[in-house]
Amino acid sequence: MRMLVQKTGSVLFTSLSPTSVASLNAAWGTTNPEDSNLSDVEVLSANVSQLMKSRHVSLDQVCLLDPKATQELSPDDGDGRFKWFLFGGILGDDPPRDRTSELRVLGFPTRHLGPVQMTTDTAVGVTKKVIVDKTPLNAIPYTDFPTIRFNAKESVEMPFRYIRDEKGEPILPPGMRELLKEDLNKGFEF
């Protein structure tokens, strides 16, 4: 996620348990090395409403990325009207359970990223491309439901949309391919 956002913005994780905050801070550090192209990151136990209040960000300055929104995210949304883009419940079950509804009821302005569910990493990367790079949604190269192959007999089909790289491969978060491969070696006990 930080790799996709780069230095153009920052990523904030909210509503985390104190244990998760400590663990993620230990893994990522609290600052970003100067030579890194990764976005800055903050991990917080405060929820988004508390954070908005403490940082003086009004409801109309936060855009909720919502699959049920009627309006598509467009480069025009990068005109400064939104200070923050809120992602919640996007990576979930297949089929989706509409966990974004918990945020929708708070009254945020909403936009959608198209008809196919994305992972949170992908949704953040797509939003960066639309808002910062000014690329329309329909001009971003995607791959839907890619099959990640490990060898001739082992593969996993991912039930989401991903940004496609120049080789036609889905852009996965660092370590995801290894995690998927590791999961293939786990058994079920009944």
Side-chain angles (χ1 to χ4, degrees):
M1 186 176 307
R2 296 175 65 200
M3 172 185 71
L4 294 170
V5 173
Q6 300 176 334
K7 285 289 196 185
T8 59
S10 59
V11 177
L12 285 71
F13 293 90
T14 62
S15 303
L16 299 174
S17 70
T19 303
S20 294
V21 169
S23 175
L24 289 170
N25 275 331
W28 289 333
T30 55
T31 59
N32 197 22
E34 292 300 318
D35 61 345
S36 172
N37 199 27
L38 299 175
S39 71
D40 288 332
V41 65
E42 288 183 69
V43 290
L44 306 157
S45 56
N47 67 40
V48 69
S49 296
Q50 294 165 331
L51 196 60
M52 288 168 56
K53 185 176 181 180
S54 71
R55 299 199 182 175
H56 309 288
V57 176
S58 64
L59 190 75
D60 63 329
Q61 293 176 305
V62 180
C63 178
L64 173 63
L65 278 298
D66 181 354
K68 292 192 174 187
T70 57
Q71 191 172 344
E72 179 179 278
L73 187 70
S74 78
D76 292 342
D77 290 320
D79 64 2
R81 75 183 89 181
F82 298 121
K83 284 181 79 170
W84 291 354
F85 291 87
L86 179 58
F87 304 85
I90 294 174
L91 174 59
D93 296 327
D94 179 39
R97 292 186 303 172
D98 190 30
R99 290 182 292 186
T100 306
S101 64
E102 296 172 25
L103 295 169
R104 187 182 306 123
V105 298
L106 299 176
F108 294 103
T110 60
R111 300 290 187 274
H112 70 78
L113 298 175
V116 181
Q117 186 180 19
M118 300 175 184
T119 65
T120 304
D121 278 60
T122 299
V124 169
V126 166
T127 300
K128 185 261 185 192
K129 286 183 175 294
V130 172
I131 298 302
V132 176
D133 302 343
K134 303 295 184 193
T135 305
L137 277 175
N138 63 2
I140 297 171
Y142 299 109
T143 184
D144 294 342
F145 318 117
T147 298
I148 310 302
R149 298 195 186 284
F150 302 103
N151 57 47
K153 295 183 180 182
E154 294 181 308
S155 64
V156 175
E157 182 178 49
M158 301 300 288
F160 306 107
R161 168 174 279 180
Y162 291 87
I163 299 171
R164 190 176 65 230
D165 68 16
E166 58 280 345
K167 296 177 187 172
E169 295 293 319
I171 297 175
L172 300 174
M176 178 59 83
R177 184 177 294 274
E178 294 78 13
L179 183 63
L180 292 169
K181 174 83 169 133
E182 187 178 301
D183 280 353
L184 287 176
N185 295 324
K186 293 182 181 175
F188 294 99
E189 292 185 28
F190 296 98

